[in-house]
Amino acid sequence: MAVKENLRPGGRSARVQASVHKAVRELLAAMNRAEVTIPMIAGKAGVTPSTIYRRWGDLQELLADVAVERLRPDMQPVDTGNGQADLQAWAEQYAEEMSSGPGREMIRDVLAAQAGVNACKCAEYTRQQIDVIAGRAKARGAAFPDVDLVMDQVVAPIMYRILFGDVPDTTRVRDLVTRVMSTTD
Amino acid sequence: MAVKENLRPGGRSARVQASVHKAVRELLAAMNRAEVTIPMIAGKAGVTPSTIYRRWGDLQELLADVAVERLRPDMQPVDTGNGQADLQAWAEQYAEEMSSGPGREMIRDVLAAQAGVNACKCAEYTRQQIDVIAGRAKARGAAFPDVDLVMDQVVAPIMYRILFGDVPDTTRVRDLVTRVMSTTD
């Protein structure tokens, strides 16, 4: 089910969303996720369960919607004055955040939803961060690999390892960054 | 919950597993997965629900266990007489199978389970296939990239695209293979 986008800020729909998201975050902080139900969320958010079913379809879609909101980066990548160092710092932080307990839970929620819309958004947030780093390098007149290549050779291997049972350590992340940067030599 | 491994073939435990797996496959073929319950599976498999809870912990773990079994490759990679062509053929088939409807369902089931044991197994099956291709190339005295590099630069980007809303088309897969093979030049 497609979740409505571009809500009018402060409108009724946006207020319902904010209230429901807040209720989900509070419930997840207080109890095991397997115990959380839509009627429980509705009660806490002050809406009817049918409002939630109408808007999100099912619990899994709602959890994915909340998770992707939390995965949205809340800061620009650190600007070190050098593209490789920027990418290195960003990739290390990304690997650390995504492989943490809460990071893994959020990725699992996003991927468990049938509708792929939140998974796409998640990849799009990541791409935007790399875009910022690439844009800065170009503004300095420095070479920087294509953003698609960075997604394939840095982001994808980090995410694959996290999802399929490995931990991408700092050395590994550094190797990935060094390799992709060498393609611009 | 860890699923018991290395069952004695033909033993009681192996027979229970085979019967429960079969029941799950048949139910998933006949109805929507959201409707499948443990008592329903138990009834069809001729075991008690508590047998299933004891062995698998919950429905998600059982679904992951069945999914990973279906993800186990049932054939060796095609032997074309050339490492790059072998990897190319394997990667195209992998991308096609994993991005199909049933492939996506199986990956989702494997990743949705809390215990990561099945996700690890899934990555291990993939690595074994690459190992076979690498071993053949080496037996011919041909250069072949490190298996870790192939996992990072071919498998991970394909899986990332599938999970995060893109489709890895043949051209893209070919580019990934060509790039990783060029590292052995």
Side-chain angles (χ1 to χ4, degrees), chain B residues 9 13 18-21 24 32 34 45 49 51 53 59 64 75 81 90-91 103-104 148 152 163 171 174 181:
Chain B
S13 202
S19 170
V20 170
H21 275 215
V24 171
N32 195 309
T51 299
Y53 287 115
L59 180 60
M75 55 181 275
W90 177 87
R104 286 173 186 272
D148 266 319
D152 279 349
L163 289 173
T171 313
R174 195 158 296 166
M181 292 304 295

Short mmCIF file of all heavy atoms in Angstrom, two decimals, chain B residues 9 13 18-21 24 32 34 45 49 51 53 59 64 75 81 90-91 103-104 148 152 163 171 174 181:
data_model
loop_
_atom_site.label_atom_id
_atom_site.label_comp_id
_atom_site.label_asym_id
_atom_site.label_seq_id
_atom_site.Cartn_x
_atom_site.Cartn_y
_atom_site.Cartn_z
N PRO B 9 20.31 -38.72 9.18
CA PRO B 9 19.35 -38.92 8.09
C PRO B 9 18.45 -40.10 8.41
O PRO B 9 18.91 -41.14 8.86
CB PRO B 9 20.24 -39.23 6.88
CG PRO B 9 21.61 -38.77 7.24
CD PRO B 9 21.70 -38.87 8.74
N SER B 13 14.08 -37.03 14.21
CA SER B 13 14.18 -35.60 14.10
C SER B 13 14.20 -35.14 12.64
O SER B 13 13.57 -34.15 12.27
CB SER B 13 15.46 -35.18 14.82
OG SER B 13 15.40 -33.86 15.20
N ALA B 18 11.43 -32.91 7.83
CA ALA B 18 11.00 -33.07 6.43
C ALA B 18 9.49 -32.88 6.33
O ALA B 18 8.99 -32.21 5.42
CB ALA B 18 11.40 -34.45 5.92
N SER B 19 8.76 -33.44 7.28
CA SER B 19 7.31 -33.37 7.24
C SER B 19 6.82 -31.93 7.47
O SER B 19 5.89 -31.47 6.80
CB SER B 19 6.77 -34.33 8.32
OG SER B 19 5.40 -34.14 8.49
N VAL B 20 7.45 -31.23 8.41
CA VAL B 20 7.05 -29.84 8.69
C VAL B 20 7.41 -28.93 7.50
O VAL B 20 6.59 -28.11 7.08
CB VAL B 20 7.71 -29.35 10.00
CG1 VAL B 20 7.50 -27.84 10.19
CG2 VAL B 20 7.13 -30.10 11.20
N HIS B 21 8.59 -29.11 6.95
CA HIS B 21 8.98 -28.31 5.78
C HIS B 21 7.99 -28.52 4.62
O HIS B 21 7.57 -27.57 3.98
CB HIS B 21 10.40 -28.68 5.32
CG HIS B 21 11.47 -27.95 6.06
ND1 HIS B 21 12.65 -27.55 5.48
CD2 HIS B 21 11.55 -27.55 7.35
CE1 HIS B 21 13.41 -26.93 6.38
NE2 HIS B 21 12.77 -26.92 7.52
N VAL B 24 4.79 -26.70 5.22
CA VAL B 24 4.93 -25.25 4.99
C VAL B 24 4.92 -24.96 3.50
O VAL B 24 4.20 -24.06 3.03
CB VAL B 24 6.24 -24.71 5.62
CG1 VAL B 24 6.48 -23.27 5.19
CG2 VAL B 24 6.19 -24.81 7.14
N ASN B 32 -2.24 -17.37 1.04
CA ASN B 32 -1.48 -16.18 1.39
C ASN B 32 -0.65 -16.45 2.65
O ASN B 32 -1.16 -17.02 3.61
CB ASN B 32 -2.50 -15.07 1.65
CG ASN B 32 -1.87 -13.71 1.67
OD1 ASN B 32 -0.88 -13.51 2.39
ND2 ASN B 32 -2.40 -12.81 0.88
N ALA B 34 0.24 -14.62 5.02
CA ALA B 34 -0.27 -13.98 6.24
C ALA B 34 -1.30 -14.87 6.94
O ALA B 34 -1.58 -14.71 8.12
CB ALA B 34 -0.86 -12.61 5.93
N ALA B 45 1.27 -31.43 9.05
CA ALA B 45 2.50 -32.23 9.16
C ALA B 45 2.31 -33.44 10.08
O ALA B 45 3.19 -34.31 10.15
CB ALA B 45 3.64 -31.36 9.68
N PRO B 49 1.63 -28.69 17.72
CA PRO B 49 2.20 -27.34 17.65
C PRO B 49 3.40 -27.18 18.57
O PRO B 49 4.39 -26.53 18.21
CB PRO B 49 1.04 -26.43 18.09
CG PRO B 49 -0.18 -27.20 17.72
CD PRO B 49 0.17 -28.65 17.93
N THR B 51 5.69 -29.24 19.28
CA THR B 51 6.90 -29.75 18.62
C THR B 51 7.53 -28.64 17.76
O THR B 51 8.75 -28.47 17.75
CB THR B 51 6.54 -30.94 17.69
OG1 THR B 51 5.98 -31.97 18.49
CG2 THR B 51 7.75 -31.48 16.96
N TYR B 53 7.01 -25.29 18.09
CA TYR B 53 7.52 -24.20 18.93
C TYR B 53 8.86 -24.57 19.56
O TYR B 53 9.77 -23.76 19.63
CB TYR B 53 6.51 -23.84 20.03
CG TYR B 53 5.30 -23.10 19.51
CD1 TYR B 53 4.03 -23.64 19.55
CD2 TYR B 53 5.45 -21.82 18.95
CE1 TYR B 53 2.92 -22.95 19.06
CE2 TYR B 53 4.35 -21.13 18.46
CZ TYR B 53 3.09 -21.69 18.51
OH TYR B 53 2.02 -21.00 18.03
N LEU B 59 7.02 -18.78 14.17
CA LEU B 59 6.70 -18.98 12.76
C LEU B 59 7.77 -18.38 11.84
O LEU B 59 8.14 -18.97 10.82
CB LEU B 59 5.33 -18.35 12.46
CG LEU B 59 4.83 -18.45 11.02
CD1 LEU B 59 4.69 -19.91 10.59
CD2 LEU B 59 3.49 -17.73 10.86
N ALA B 64 11.92 -18.95 7.74
CA ALA B 64 13.30 -18.69 7.32
C ALA B 64 14.03 -20.01 7.04
O ALA B 64 14.79 -20.13 6.08
CB ALA B 64 14.05 -17.89 8.39
N MET B 75 22.34 -27.10 -8.19
CA MET B 75 23.27 -27.53 -9.24
C MET B 75 24.58 -26.77 -9.13
O MET B 75 24.66 -25.73 -8.50
CB MET B 75 22.65 -27.30 -10.62
CG MET B 75 22.20 -25.87 -10.86
SD MET B 75 21.45 -25.62 -12.49
CE MET B 75 22.90 -25.32 -13.50
N GLY B 81 34.35 -23.44 -19.42
CA GLY B 81 35.75 -23.54 -19.79
C GLY B 81 36.51 -22.23 -19.60
O GLY B 81 37.70 -22.14 -19.89
N TRP B 90 26.74 -17.42 -14.09
CA TRP B 90 26.23 -17.62 -12.73
C TRP B 90 25.55 -16.36 -12.21
O TRP B 90 24.45 -16.42 -11.66
CB TRP B 90 27.37 -18.05 -11.79
CG TRP B 90 26.86 -18.18 -10.40
CD1 TRP B 90 26.28 -19.29 -9.85
CD2 TRP B 90 26.81 -17.16 -9.40
NE1 TRP B 90 25.87 -19.01 -8.56
CE2 TRP B 90 26.18 -17.72 -8.27
CE3 TRP B 90 27.23 -15.82 -9.36
CZ2 TRP B 90 25.96 -16.97 -7.11
CZ3 TRP B 90 27.00 -15.08 -8.21
CH2 TRP B 90 26.38 -15.66 -7.10
N ALA B 91 26.20 -15.20 -12.39
CA ALA B 91 25.68 -13.94 -11.84
C ALA B 91 24.35 -13.55 -12.51
O ALA B 91 23.44 -13.07 -11.84
CB ALA B 91 26.71 -12.82 -12.01
N GLY B 103 11.81 -15.57 -5.38
CA GLY B 103 13.14 -15.26 -4.85
C GLY B 103 13.06 -14.17 -3.79
O GLY B 103 13.61 -14.30 -2.70
N ARG B 104 12.34 -13.09 -4.11
CA ARG B 104 12.19 -11.99 -3.15
C ARG B 104 11.50 -12.45 -1.86
O ARG B 104 11.88 -12.05 -0.76
CB ARG B 104 11.38 -10.85 -3.77
CG ARG B 104 12.17 -10.04 -4.79
CD ARG B 104 11.28 -9.03 -5.51
NE ARG B 104 12.00 -8.38 -6.58
CZ ARG B 104 12.73 -7.27 -6.42
NH1 ARG B 104 12.80 -6.70 -5.25
NH2 ARG B 104 13.38 -6.75 -7.44
N ASP B 148 36.32 -13.17 -1.76
CA ASP B 148 35.76 -12.04 -1.00
C ASP B 148 35.48 -10.84 -1.90
O ASP B 148 34.50 -10.13 -1.71
CB ASP B 148 36.78 -11.58 0.07
CG ASP B 148 36.50 -12.27 1.40
OD1 ASP B 148 35.31 -12.38 1.75
OD2 ASP B 148 37.47 -12.69 2.04
N ASP B 152 31.96 -8.96 -2.61
CA ASP B 152 31.79 -7.50 -2.43
C ASP B 152 31.36 -6.80 -3.71
O ASP B 152 30.55 -5.89 -3.69
CB ASP B 152 33.10 -6.86 -1.96
CG ASP B 152 33.33 -7.03 -0.46
OD1 ASP B 152 32.40 -7.45 0.25
OD2 ASP B 152 34.45 -6.74 -0.02
N LEU B 163 17.08 -5.73 -2.97
CA LEU B 163 16.42 -5.42 -1.70
C LEU B 163 15.92 -3.99 -1.62
O LEU B 163 14.88 -3.72 -1.05
CB LEU B 163 17.40 -5.65 -0.54
CG LEU B 163 17.73 -7.10 -0.26
CD1 LEU B 163 18.83 -7.18 0.79
CD2 LEU B 163 16.49 -7.84 0.23
N THR B 171 22.87 -5.91 -18.41
CA THR B 171 24.00 -5.02 -18.71
C THR B 171 24.75 -4.67 -17.42
O THR B 171 25.98 -4.70 -17.36
CB THR B 171 23.49 -3.71 -19.34
OG1 THR B 171 22.56 -4.05 -20.36
CG2 THR B 171 24.62 -2.90 -19.91
N ARG B 174 26.67 -7.61 -16.12
CA ARG B 174 27.86 -7.81 -16.96
C ARG B 174 28.96 -6.82 -16.58
O ARG B 174 30.12 -7.18 -16.47
CB ARG B 174 27.45 -7.64 -18.43
CG ARG B 174 28.48 -8.16 -19.40
CD ARG B 174 27.85 -8.45 -20.74
NE ARG B 174 26.85 -9.52 -20.64
CZ ARG B 174 25.96 -9.80 -21.60
NH1 ARG B 174 25.91 -9.08 -22.72
NH2 ARG B 174 25.11 -10.80 -21.44
N MET B 181 36.67 -8.85 -12.82
CA MET B 181 37.66 -9.68 -13.53
C MET B 181 38.87 -8.86 -13.93
O MET B 181 39.98 -9.39 -14.03
CB MET B 181 37.02 -10.33 -14.77
CG MET B 181 35.97 -11.39 -14.45
SD MET B 181 36.52 -12.76 -13.38
CE MET B 181 37.74 -13.57 -14.40
#
